Amino acid sequence: MTDSSHWVLTLECPDRPGIVHAVTGAVAAAQGNVTELQQFSSVDTGRFFMRVQVQSGFERSSFEESLRPLAAYLQAAWHLDEVGRRRRTLILASRAAHCLNDLLFRQRSGLLPIEVAGVMANHPDLRPLATFYGVPFTDHVVLPHTKADFEAEVLRRVEAEDIELVVLARYMQILSPELCEALAGRAINIHHSFLPGFKGANPYRQAHERGVKLIGATAHFVTSDLDEGPIIEQNVTRVDHNLEVPQLVARGQEQETRTLAEAVRLYAEHRVFLDGHRTVIFG
Amino acid sequence: MTDSSHWVLTLECPDRPGIVHAVTGAVAAAQGNVTELQQFSSVDTGRFFMRVQVQSGFERSSFEESLRPLAAYLQAAWHLDEVGRRRRTLILASRAAHCLNDLLFRQRSGLLPIEVAGVMANHPDLRPLATFYGVPFTDHVVLPHTKADFEAEVLRRVEAEDIELVVLARYMQILSPELCEALAGRAINIHHSFLPGFKGANPYRQAHERGVKLIGATAHFVTSDLDEGPIIEQNVTRVDHNLEVPQLVARGQEQETRTLAEAVRLYAEHRVFLDGHRTVIFG
Amino acid sequence: MTDSSHWVLTLECPDRPGIVHAVTGAVAAAQGNVTELQQFSSVDTGRFFMRVQVQSGFERSSFEESLRPLAAYLQAAWHLDEVGRRRRTLILASRAAHCLNDLLFRQRSGLLPIEVAGVMANHPDLRPLATFYGVPFTDHVVLPHTKADFEAEVLRRVEAEDIELVVLARYMQILSPELCEALAGRAINIHHSFLPGFKGANPYRQAHERGVKLIGATAHFVTSDLDEGPIIEQNVTRVDHNLEVPQLVARGQEQETRTLAEAVRLYAEHRVFLDGHRTVIFG
Amino acid sequence: MTDSSHWVLTLECPDRPGIVHAVTGAVAAAQGNVTELQQFSSVDTGRFFMRVQVQSGFERSSFEESLRPLAAYLQAAWHLDEVGRRRRTLILASRAAHCLNDLLFRQRSGLLPIEVAGVMANHPDLRPLATFYGVPFTDHVVLPHTKADFEAEVLRRVEAEDIELVVLARYMQILSPELCEALAGRAINIHHSFLPGFKGANPYRQAHERGVKLIGATAHFVTSDLDEGPIIEQNVTRVDHNLEVPQLVARGQEQETRTLAEAVRLYAEHRVFLDGHRTVIFG
C-alpha cells in the first residue's frame, strides 16, 4: 500500500498570509505534484493547519531539507510520512470483543493503515482472537495496587516499540492523569454514548431512562478530564421504546465499532489535528 | 381527509393478559375491521399501551357504548377519534420563522392533521406569515410584569377554543410552572440541541466549543423541569470544524424544523403516549 | 437465549375482519401473555400478515392444538417457534471475508440467533476464518461442468442438516433457476449496490461512472430473476468525487456487512414475510 | 452578506504540477489571505479544479489583472466573484408548492445566496406564494403548440435579466433539447427518485412496486438526456411496507425539498464543477 514516492506532509503554525503559497513552493522545488491538499485557519485560536499529499521522485531527505527552513520561518510543527504507511499501534482491551475484532479484521484486510504491535488486556478472554490475527497478546491483572505497574509497562512498550497510536478498544479502565499526559494526542478512546450526553458509567442505561430516540458513540482523544477529550468522530442510530438496555447495548456496539475504526483511520492517515480543545479533521 | 367510518382508538391501562383480545373483541362486536394495531407493555412501569385503527359502519356512540364497560373493567384511559381529524392547535412563537413557516405550510398542504387556531407571539415579526396562511395572529408584550397576563390568555384560549395541542415553535420564553402543569401532556417544545447534551442557552455555541461532529434538535413535552421533558423526536446532522456558530445555527434550523413537524404529526395522529418520564411512540 | 415458555407465532392468510381477535383468543385460551404483536393487511394483495410473541406455560403441542382449527378456518399458513431459537443456517461464500467474518462474529457474540451449520465456498481462502469460529468449511471447484454437482450438494445438505436459511455472503456465483426455486423464500443474497440502481456486474464502477453521491447495499431473497428478488433491507452511505473505485468498494463493504447482518437477523427472528414481490418486515 | 474584500475564485484547466503554487502566488501578489481552498485532480479526465476564497484589500480589476496572464498560461477557465453575492435565479414551477416555498423562504431568511428574478409556471396556482415573497410570477399555457414560445421566453429572460441559474422546482415538463443545450451547466432539476433507480414517470409508484426500503431524491444538471444529467446532490429516507404511494409522495417531498435547496446553495456558492459526466463538489 505504501509508495515511496507519495508523501503526506502535515503542518501547523500561527496563521498568516501566504502559507499555502510558501508550502506549495517547497513542493514545486521538489518537483512534486499535489494529489490532495486541505487547509484550515482557525478563527478561535489563530492557528493554521495544512495537509498535503505530494507525488515526487525526490529523496525524502532532500524534500525534508527544502521544508526545514520554511518550517522554521513559519514557526511550524510539521511531519512528513509516506502515504499509506502502517502506523505502529498498541491496543488496550478488556473483555468486549467487538472493537478489537473489527480493528484486527480491517488491519488484515488492508482497510486500516495500522500495524498492531500488540494487545494488552486486563482479562485473558480476547487472547484467541488476537492470536488468530497473529498479534501478540498479554493479559495483566489491573487492580488498584498493580495499576501503576501496568501503566508503566504500557509506556515502556510505547517507547521501546515505536508506538505511534494507543487505542482504547473498550478498555473500561480509567488511565491515570500521568499516563493521559504522557500519551496526549496519541491515545484514542471510544465512549459508548453520544457525548456530551451520558458521561460516566452505564450510558445505555442512562439513555434508556432518559428515553432518547437516538443512541451513539464518540471516539475522542484521551485526556485526564474523563469523557471530555477532543472529539474525533461520532455516530448515532435510531432506537425506540421497545428496546431494553441489553438491546440498546447491542445496537450501540455497532456504532462503537464503526466510530472507533473511522477515528483510527483518520488518525493513521494524518487527518486529525488538535485545535485547542477541538479537532480539525481533513476527512 | 377524515373519514367518519375510520376510527382511531387509543387506550392505556395496567398491563395484564388478554387486553388485545378483549379490545379486538369490542372492535369485532362493532363489526369493525382493524387497519392498524400497535401495542406495548412497559417493563419499567407495568403499563399497557394500545393504538388501533378500525374501519366500521357503526355510529360513534354505539362503538363507544361497547367500549365503555371494557375500559372500566381494564381501568383504562381511552380516547376515540376519527382518523385524520385535524386537531385544534395553538402555536406560540417569537421572531424565528422557520418552524412556524413549516408548520403552516404543511397544514395547508394537508401533510399535518392540525387546524391552527392561532399564533400568539411576543414579537410582531411573524404577523405577515401567519396572515398569508389565514391564521389569526396576536402579538403580546411578554415582560416580567406582563407574563402572568400572557399566560392567562394562553390558558383562556386553550379552554375557550378547544385547543388540543400547544406548540412552542421556537417561542424562546420559559413558561411558568403553573402553565406547564396546566398544559401537561398537551404542549410540545422544540429544543435546538440533541438533548441531554447542551441544555440551556446558546446550545449551538456550546456545540461549537465542545467540537461535536453531529448537531441536532429535540422535540419534547413541556414540563416545569426545563429541557427535561419526555422526548418525542430527535434528529442530527453532520458538521465539521469549518462551521462557525452562525452556520451551525443555519444547519441546525433544518433539524429543528423537521423534528418539530414530525413530533406534531405523531401527536396529532394519536401516536404518542407518556410512560413515566419516557414516551411510547407508535410510529 | 431461548426460553421454552416464550413463543413466536407467525401467520398469513387472506384478509378478513376479526383475525387479530381470533388469534389472540387462541393465545388467551393457552393462558398466554402477548409480549409483542404486529399485523399488516396488504391493500395490494389482499393478504393478512401477523407476528405475535406469547409468554405461556402451556406445552407447545397443546398450544399448537388450539391454533390448528383456527388456522384451518382462516386458511392460514402458520408457524410456531421458540423466541430466540438459533436457526440452522448454511453460508455460501467465495473469497471476500467481510460478510462471513461479521456473521460468524455476531453468531458467537449471541447477537444473531443463527447456528451456522457450515460454510461452502468456491475457494479455500476463508477456511482459517471458519475454523477459528469452529464452523465446518468445505471448498468446491465450481466450474460450468461441476456447478450442478455443487448445487446438488447444497440441496442435499439443506435437507440432511435441517437448514432453514441459506445465506449468500458475497458468493459471487449465479445459482441455477432450479436451485433458486428449491430455496425460494429461504435464501438471502447481498447485492453490492442500492438496487434497482446498478444491477449486474461491477456496481461500484457503475456508481463511480454515474457520479452518484450515495452508494449502498441491498439484501434480498434469491430468485432466478437476478438482482430482482424481494428486498429485505437496504442501506447507503455518502461518497464524493474524491473516491476512486477501490475506495468505493471499501466504503461499500461496510454497508454490505451491516445490511446482510440485519436481513439475517430479521429473517431468523421470523420478522420477514413475502407479499407478492415485496416484503413485509415486522422490525 | 457580501463583502467587497472577500472573493471566491474558481478555476479549471488541464492538470499539471504547480497550479496551486501559481494560483496562490497570484493571491499573494494581491496581498490576499486564503480563507478557504479546495482542489481536485481528476484521474478520469485529466482536468484540474480549484476553488479559493481570498480576503484582499485590492480592487477587483487589479486582482483580475494579476490572474489573467496566469490563467492564459494554464489554459484555464476561471471566474471571480464576491463571496455571498446573491446570484440571479429564475425558477420554473408547476403546481407543487413544496420546493418553491422552501427556496423562497430560504432566500428571504438569508440562507441561500440567490436573488429570484421571477417564477415562470405552467399553472397559476403558485401565484399567491410568489407574491407573498415579492417575487414576480408569470403563468403560461404550455401545450405542444405553445411550448416553443414558452421556451423562447425563458431564454429571452435569461439573457435580458442576467440570469445565472435556472431551477426546475418540480416543473414536470420536459425541456426541448435546444433549451437544455442553451442552459447547459446552468439549469438544475430535482428528480423525485434516487437516480439511477426509477427514472421516468411515477417514481414513487415504481418504488412502491419494487418494495425498496429507502426512497430518495436527486438534484442534477438538466441535459437533453432525460434523468441522466450530472448528479449534484442526493438524499434518501427510510420507508416500510405500511406506506402507500401517497404517503411515499409525502415523505419523498421532504427529500426533494432539502436536496434541491442544497444543490442550489452549492451552485450559488460556486462549489459545483462539471468533470465530464460527473460533478466535483467542493462542499
Side-chain angles (χ1 to χ4, degrees), chain C residues 162-239:
Chain C
D162 296 321
I163 299 301
E164 301 171 83
L165 172 63
V166 176
V167 178
L168 280 64
R170 299 300 312 278
Y171 171 59
M172 307 302 287
Q173 296 260 340
I174 297 170
L175 303 189
S176 71
E178 293 71 28
L179 187 57
C180 291
E181 180 61 33
L183 299 177
R186 306 186 277 169
I188 297 176
N189 182 48
I190 181 72
H191 185 81
H192 43 322
S193 88
F194 184 74
L195 292 172
F198 311 128
K199 295 179 199 171
N202 286 326
Y204 291 117
R205 175 162 298 285
Q206 291 182 60
H208 176 78
E209 282 166 5
R210 188 62 184 84
V212 289
K213 302 306 183 189
L214 301 168
I215 59 168
T218 303
H220 61 91
F221 280 119
V222 173
T223 61
S224 58
D225 199 353
L226 198 63
D227 302 339
E228 288 287 346
I231 293 170
I232 301 170
E233 174 69 348
Q234 299 186 291
N235 283 293
V236 293
T237 192
R238 191 160 284 272
V239 295

Side-chain angles (χ1 to χ4, degrees), chain A residues 44 208 213 234 278-279 281, chain B residues 44 208 213 234 278-279:
Chain A
D44 296 0
H208 177 77
K213 302 306 181 189
Q234 300 187 290
R278 312 171 71 233
T279 59
I281 310 282
Chain B
D44 295 359
H208 177 77
K213 301 306 182 189
Q234 300 187 289
R278 310 170 72 233
T279 59

Side-chain angles (χ1 to χ4, degrees), chain A residues 40 44 194 198 208 210 212-214 227-229 231-236 238 241 278-281, chain B residues 40 44 194 196 198 208 210 212-214 227-229 231 233-236 238 241 278-281:
Chain A
F40 176 65
D44 296 0
F194 184 72
F198 311 129
H208 177 77
R210 187 62 185 86
V212 289
K213 302 306 181 189
L214 301 168
D227 300 341
E228 288 287 346
I231 294 169
I232 301 170
E233 174 69 348
Q234 300 187 290
N235 283 293
V236 293
R238 191 161 285 269
H241 59 271
R278 312 171 71 233
T279 59
V280 171
I281 310 282
Chain B
F40 176 66
D44 295 359
F194 184 75
F198 311 128
H208 177 77
R210 187 64 184 86
V212 289
K213 301 306 182 189
L214 301 168
D227 302 341
E228 288 287 347
I231 293 170
E233 174 70 347
Q234 300 187 289
N235 283 293
V236 293
R238 193 160 282 270
H241 59 271
R278 310 170 72 233
T279 59
V280 172
I281 310 281

Side-chain angles (χ1 to χ4, degrees), chain D residues 151-196:
Chain D
E151 295 200 343
E153 174 65 6
V154 170
L155 261 188
R156 191 196 62 71
R157 288 189 62 176
V158 165
E159 279 160 37
E161 303 181 28
D162 295 322
I163 299 300
E164 300 171 84
L165 172 63
V166 175
V167 178
L168 279 65
R170 299 299 312 277
Y171 171 58
M172 306 302 287
Q173 297 260 338
I174 296 170
L175 303 189
S176 70
E178 293 71 29
L179 188 58
C180 293
E181 180 62 32
L183 299 177
R186 304 187 278 169
I188 297 176
N189 182 48
I190 181 72
H191 184 81
H192 43 322
S193 90
F194 184 75
L195 291 173

